[in-house]
Amino acid sequence: MGTSKKSMKACVLHNINDLRYEDVPMPEPASGQVLIKIKASGICGSDIQRVFEKGTYHFPTIPGHEFAGEIVDVASDVDSSLIGKKAAVFPLIPCRSCPSCQIGEYAQCSNYDYYGSRRDGGFAEYLAVDQFNLVIVPQEVSYEEAAMCEPTAVAIHALSQADICFGDTIAIFGAGTIGLILAKIARASGASKVILIDIDDRKLEFAKKLGFEHVVNNANGDAISEINKITGNKGSVVTLEGTGVPDVLEQCLKSTAAFGRVVLMGNPLRDMKISQKAYWEILRRQLTLKGTWNSSYNGFVNNWECAVNAMPKLGLKDLITHRYDLSQCNEAFDAMRSHKDLVLKAMFVLK
Ligand SMILES: [Zn+2]
Ligand SMILES: [Zn+2]
């Protein structure tokens, strides 16, 4: 290729709270890899923690694990007909030898690598990725939508844990980006009522504009009574806990219908203790509690392929509230951290 002396622009994390827009060497596809010209790269809530609190596994690292772009080059052992195709990228690089990998459940891999945290990711003009990680995107899906493949796959996976049926009522605690994607998928899947619960009125107003009429402000702990009102005192058949707050878990258990399903998705903020009364609800109402983690990505169950194929039906573009150039990386991260304006999905959009 003769690109070894070429350089590209990237946002590089040199230390905690030290993100720099700078020139770095241009990657070249190694054996089994393709080169992606990145067109859109979403900023995830976890990136905020990475940049300001936790750091990446080593420095310097280019963060970014929610991205899509055009395949512009391939290694000599990769099919060149991929060039020109749109692709999203499954960011986890599994070991492919542990027991989980042997059954294709890569999210459970015990020895994985990761684009954008353990190795360089998508806040850059180019990235070389393994062909294994490519999710080919239909032409009618935009790069910006395709960059939301990860949260969409995570949402599809979470809902699949709930055995959702046509006509079910669904309550979603947490109306951020994933909560709203969950709501859109639930609505598209035939949920009779989708109830969104949050403590931030701006998110609920946003949800209303997207056509979700059942929104509940839970700042004063009204979720249970409001859900009962909306569901005719039955409770929601499916409840998604997306906040990681113990009091909310308690509310989830008390507002789910008998024989209902509660999917636990939010990263726990502290010990998730529940009262004796809530525990009784699990028993008496014979609730099913199920955890969800990441997504499935294999030949039988591939939440990523489902995500890109469903995108034309979901209208995810209206979740993008902020678009930035890579050179504005510090502005973008400050906006997301400060919460001054409502930031749902913020992303870098590249020419
Ligand atoms: Zn993410
Ligand atoms: Zn593995």
Side-chain angles (χ1 to χ4, degrees), residues 95-98 101 109-110:
C95 76
R96 302 218 225 170
S97 60
C98 74
C101 284
C109 174
S110 51

Side-chain angles (χ1 to χ4, degrees), residues 150-202:
E150 195 238 14
T152 308
V154 166
I156 290 172
H157 190 67
L159 280 174
S160 75
Q161 302 288 58
D163 295 328
I164 182 169
C165 292
F166 195 82
D168 280 348
T169 51
I170 300 186
I172 299 163
F173 284 79
T177 307
I178 297 233
L180 290 172
I181 295 175
L182 282 165
K184 278 172 173 273
I185 297 169
R187 181 166 65 184
S189 311
S192 59
K193 280 176 184 161
V194 178
I195 308 165
L196 279 154
I197 304 108
D198 206 284
I199 54 173
D200 185 341
D201 260 331
R202 298 174 302 178

Side-chain angles (χ1 to χ4, degrees), residues 57-68:
Y57 280 73
H58 48 77
F59 300 112
T61 299
I62 301 170
H65 60 271
E66 299 183 2
F67 54 95

